[in-house]
Amino acid sequence: MSTDPLSAAQIAALRRDYMQRGLDEADLAPDPFQQFARWFQEAHDCPAIAEPNAMVLSTVSPEGQPHARFVLLKGFDADGLVFFTNRASEKGRDLEANPRAALTFGWIAQERQVRIEGAVSPTPRAAVEAYFQTRPRGSRLGAWASAQSDVIPGRALLEQKLAEADARFPDEVPPPETWGGYRLAPERFEFWQGRANRLHDRLRYRKNGAGWIIERLAP
């Protein structure tokens, strides 16, 4: 295997045609949450997708700088999609200033993408505490050890803080005050299915009062 970096021409030449399937309006559920549940289940059942709940969370800073990172979906229902994080982190600060975000699921093995946009609000503290207790002990201690997004001198500090947290909480590990959850209430869903010749299927649900409008977008 070559260890030489790819040239610009080699990178530009990277391409594959998408041939697995299409997505027609007649195939869609009338409700986007039902459609998302279908695709999420199929992603979960696909052996080639290691973490179907991995999603890119995109936020905007108070200065207008976009930030994007992977987080894990931890639940969804008709009220929205839920994830948990340190609310003092960069993403938490962004959402405090601008409580709107976008989520992107990239199920590449199925030649699929789902984009979801909407307003974000904190989850109730009771829900945060209930979920926190389902995490492995090491993950709970890690939440105390890491001041997420802060600059640190090295990994040794994390190991030190982890040991301190382990000694501080020999039994139950409560969530830190800065650790919490968010729920994104969707206003738009876009279901993207790769097709041949880059003529991909893009079908969008757009919130309209109590219902949804379904629109096809040009690829």
Side-chain angles (χ1 to χ4, degrees):
M1 181 180 294
S2 174
T3 59
D4 295 333
L6 292 175
S7 68
Q10 288 173 313
I11 294 173
L14 292 174
R15 63 173 54 85
R16 59 188 293 265
D17 222 355
Y18 300 130
M19 306 290 291
Q20 288 189 24
R21 73 202 87 185
L23 181 63
D24 295 327
E25 286 84 344
D27 299 328
L28 292 177
D31 181 275
F33 291 99
Q34 296 173 4
Q35 183 64 33
F36 179 78
R38 287 180 187 174
W39 272 25
F40 188 84
Q41 184 66 52
E42 291 174 12
H44 175 272
D45 295 341
C46 178
I49 299 176
E51 290 192 285
N53 60 328
M55 58 187 184
V56 176
L57 167 67
S58 300
T59 58
V60 177
S61 76
E63 298 75 31
Q65 174 62 49
H67 293 135
R69 78 291 282 165
F70 279 99
V71 299
L72 297 178
L73 175 70
K74 288 301 178 180
F76 67 92
D77 56 26
D79 294 324
L81 296 90
V82 174
F83 60 94
F84 295 88
T85 189
N86 185 327
R87 288 168 61 180
S89 67
E90 180 182 76
K91 66 180 82 69
R93 295 193 296 270
D94 286 358
L95 291 171
E96 178 70 22
N98 182 11
R100 301 188 63 79
L103 304 173
T104 307
F105 293 84
W107 297 319
I108 306 304
Q110 296 174 317
E111 301 174 352
R112 286 176 171 174
Q113 173 182 264
V114 180
R115 297 171 55 204
I116 306 171
E117 301 171 358
V120 177
S121 59
T123 58
R125 191 64 186 175
V128 171
E129 293 175 353
Y131 169 70
F132 192 79
Q133 295 308 318
T134 70
R135 306 180 87 203
R137 176 176 172 82
S139 296
R140 283 179 278 155
L141 293 172
W144 284 93
S146 175
Q148 195 177 99
S149 301
D150 284 4
V151 175
I152 58 174
R155 185 170 181 85
L157 178 63
L158 293 176
E159 302 293 348
Q160 174 191 332
K161 294 294 186 182
L162 184 66
E164 291 173 358
D166 193 25
R168 179 180 177 185
F169 302 110
D171 298 312
E172 290 299 315
V173 184
E177 283 300 316
T178 56
W179 199 88
Y182 293 94
R183 180 182 298 273
L184 184 144
E187 297 165 6
R188 293 186 180 188
F189 286 77
E190 182 189 314
F191 294 86
W192 182 99
Q193 179 70 61
R195 296 294 298 272
N197 304 314
R198 294 299 186 261
L199 295 179
H200 312 303
D201 289 322
R202 295 178 60 192
L203 293 170
R204 180 176 67 189
Y205 292 78
R206 182 165 49 87
K207 190 74 171 173
N208 182 38
W212 296 88
I213 295 173
I214 298 176
E215 302 165 312
R216 177 174 287 270
L217 305 179

